[in-house]
Amino acid sequence: MTRNTISVEIKKQTFQVLLDSGASSSVISYAVLKRLQIPVQTLHYDAIINVHVADGRSVAVIGKAELCVKINGLSMPCKFLILPHIGYSLILGLDFLAANKAQIDFANCVVTFFDNLTAANLSTSNHSRLTNSVCTLQATILPLFLRASCQILASVFGSICASPTEIFTSR
């Protein structure tokens, strides 16, 4: 069975990550963050404080982290929400996929980024212990709720892995 996973490198360690276009935000497990020795950044008072998983449960966000994800030699910055437990080490959500112009070709089991600047093969084996789990996430932003169909959170980067500046744009 084909899975929506690829291999990525973070701080010279390799991870099998889920590509989830149904997840509005990218997430990383707290255990992985500790193993990488990356500090937890606190959330701002108006930031996302919970995510809703596909089965309807609300999971508290521990904090956030910004780090570079390397895919076949190309480093791409990513903002992660930190969750206590997830089915994969990391989930690259729609925020990452859109910002890096990902195109997933299921027929050929490949994902490309930035108009074929780099590519990765989709895994054809199951790397998750939670084989029947659904990892789709919906982020809740308090005190205001943004619907994906109305607004897009975009990141503007001065250079690869530079600190991003957030802007909101309307469709």
Side-chain angles (χ1 to χ4, degrees):
M1 176 195 308
T2 300
R3 308 298 286 177
N4 298 343
T5 62
I6 61 171
S7 291
V8 302
E9 185 180 309
I10 300 172
K11 293 185 76 171
K12 299 184 181 182
Q13 292 188 37
T14 302
F15 298 93
Q16 196 71 19
V17 303
L18 177 69
L19 301 178
D20 189 351
S21 63
S24 58
S25 300
S26 297
V27 296
I28 187 169
S29 76
Y30 181 68
V32 170
L33 202 69
K34 279 180 59 175
R35 182 171 40 158
L36 293 170
Q37 298 178 345
I38 296 172
V40 174
Q41 297 175 13
T42 58
L43 297 170
H44 298 287
Y45 70 92
D46 62 344
I48 296 170
I49 59 169
N50 289 301
V51 293
H52 296 275
V53 294
D55 66 5
R57 288 181 300 120
S58 180
V59 179
V61 176
I62 295 171
K64 64 181 180 176
E66 295 181 39
L67 47 127
C68 288
V69 174
K70 189 181 285 188
I71 300 173
N72 285 338
L74 181 64
S75 290
M76 295 174 258
C78 186
K79 289 183 175 185
F80 289 95
L81 297 177
I82 305 163
L83 298 182
H85 305 285
I86 55 177
Y88 291 82
S89 300
L90 302 103
I91 297 174
L92 297 176
L94 188 57
D95 57 343
F96 178 87
L97 298 171
N100 295 289
K101 300 181 181 179
Q103 294 185 359
I104 302 172
D105 180 347
F106 289 107
N108 294 306
C109 295
V110 68
V111 59
T112 60
F113 298 90
F114 293 108
D115 298 322
N116 296 320
L117 185 60
T118 193
N121 292 322
L122 292 173
S123 174
T124 56
S125 61
N126 181 16
H127 289 275
S128 173
R129 295 182 311 273
L130 305 174
T131 57
N132 294 322
S133 66
V134 178
C135 297
T136 301
L137 303 171
Q138 175 186 6
T140 302
I141 301 174
L142 297 177
L144 102 118
F145 297 90
L146 300 178
R147 291 192 342 242
S149 61
C150 298
Q151 296 183 349
I152 300 168
L153 177 63
S155 296
V156 179
F157 300 98
S159 62
I160 296 295
C161 295
S163 295
T165 303
E166 294 179 345
I167 59 170
F168 285 93
T169 59
S170 297
R171 280 198 212 185

